DNA sequence: ATAATAAAAGATAGTCATATCTTTTATTAT
DNA sequence: ATAATAAAAGATATGACTATCTTTTATTAT
């Protein structure tokens, strides 16, 4: 459901929230290394997140990425919107062009329950919520599917 | 969530259930034309469905595709399994390799509700269920996103 | 048997998400 | 000012899904 890029983004952000701060920024290389991600691809994603104010960055020596206080409160759905877009949450499950309460597809009402449920879930969890559930940080950071 | 191929498959099957029978089979050309789908691509999908006994086919003159009685009772999840696979319903929402009741990801329990809900939805609806909800067949057949 | 029909199978092309590398720009410390 | 650092930007490559075309095989009607 979430693209690989989006999951890379979420992992990176959680990693930053957990480990970085304005006074100790973390660079692309370090992030990619710790999360075992392709360096340049990760750079692209971080760049996109920075441009959309999801995370912060500083260039030059001692530069890198970090999250300011506001960013830590960002909801997961905002990250999803930037990376994947919200099509999943707005489009008909059966691909109907016009599917609505007035002209529902055969699965409309059933499908809507779960689609809206996921929307609400991602809209109610912040980066900090994820961080707070990490009991041993490493398991969350290291345990990802590579393929 | 469902791939384009999978939606093409579902539309084709519903169209067949609605319009075809052993005594009046429908060929690829006709199906593609009526549903406004790419002919050869649709052929490939129907072929895949036939191979997996989701639909039936007969070659030669007066041949084409149709659904036998058993096929009409097929659940949507079976079509999804053949075309897209069940990864969506079995994998961790955050891409964790090992995510389970014992080692849950930060979203595991919340996410599971909706993932399982969708699984159950697709497992409880048959082709005939979709057909029976078509009040005016054309709207369902014609109203699909092309892109 | 033969010709016509239509699905099955194989080969090829396009597109988009994923991934990588190189060059440029901005910042900081010296 | 200068050199070092690190993100930003641009160009390119890869793979999977989507799409199309051609050839082969099977069936039916004559």
């Amino acid at each position: 459901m979430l693209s690989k890029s989006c999951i890379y983004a979420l992992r990176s952000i959680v990693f930053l929230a957990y480990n970085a701060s304005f006074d100790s920024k973390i660079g692309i290389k370090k992030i990619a290394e710790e999360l075992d991600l392709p360096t340049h691809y990760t750079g692209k994603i971080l760049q996109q997140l920075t441009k959309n104010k999801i995370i912060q960055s500083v260039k030059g020596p001692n530069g890198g990425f970090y999250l300011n206080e506001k960013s830590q409160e960002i909801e997961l759905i905002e990250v999803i919107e930037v990376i994947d877009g919200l099509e999943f949450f707005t489009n008909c499950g059966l691909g109907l062009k016009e599917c609505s309460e007035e002209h529902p597809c055969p699965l409309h009402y059933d499908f809507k329950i779960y689609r809206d449920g996921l929307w609400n879930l991602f809209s109610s969890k912040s980066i900090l919520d994820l961080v707070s559930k990490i009991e041993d940080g490493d398991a969350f950071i290291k345990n990802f599917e590579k393929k």
Side-chain angles (χ1 to χ4, degrees), chain A residues 92 96 98-109:
Chain A
C92 170
L96 271 172
E98 309 196 8
C99 172
S100 59
E101 305 293 307
E102 293 84 46
H103 301 287
C105 79
L107 288 186
H108 183 76
Y109 299 107

Side-chain angles (χ1 to χ4, degrees), chain A residues 22 48 51 79 81 86 97 105 112-113 123 129:
Chain A
F22 180 77
Q48 209 176 338
K51 213 182 301 181
V79 179
E81 180 171 15
L86 297 180
K97 186 155 60 179
C105 79
K112 190 174 158 53
I113 294 169
S123 298
D129 286 330

Side-chain angles (χ1 to χ4, degrees), chain A residues 51-135:
Chain A
K51 213 182 301 181
N52 285 278
K53 309 276 178 65
I54 302 285
I55 64 178
Q56 285 67 48
S57 72
V58 173
K59 288 181 176 182
N62 300 319
F65 297 87
Y66 68 100
L67 274 67
N68 64 21
E69 280 178 30
K70 212 174 161 191
S71 286
Q72 307 210 343
E73 299 296 344
I74 275 180
E75 286 154 357
L76 306 190
I77 196 73
E78 298 179 66
V79 179
I80 296 171
E81 180 171 15
V82 165
I83 304 292
D84 285 345
L86 297 180
E87 287 71 26
F88 172 81
F89 303 99
T90 56
N91 291 359
C92 170
L94 288 180
L96 271 172
K97 186 155 60 179
E98 309 196 8
C99 172
S100 59
E101 305 293 307
E102 293 84 46
H103 301 287
C105 79
L107 288 186
H108 183 76
Y109 299 107
D110 296 303
F111 192 77
K112 190 174 158 53
I113 294 169
Y114 305 108
R115 196 185 56 182
D116 289 355
L118 284 168
W119 172 295
N120 289 332
L121 170 58
F122 290 125
S123 298
S124 68
K125 300 282 183 186
S126 67
I127 297 300
L128 270 190
D129 286 330
L130 292 198
V131 170
S132 72
K133 286 207 181 175
I134 301 176
E135 301 206 347

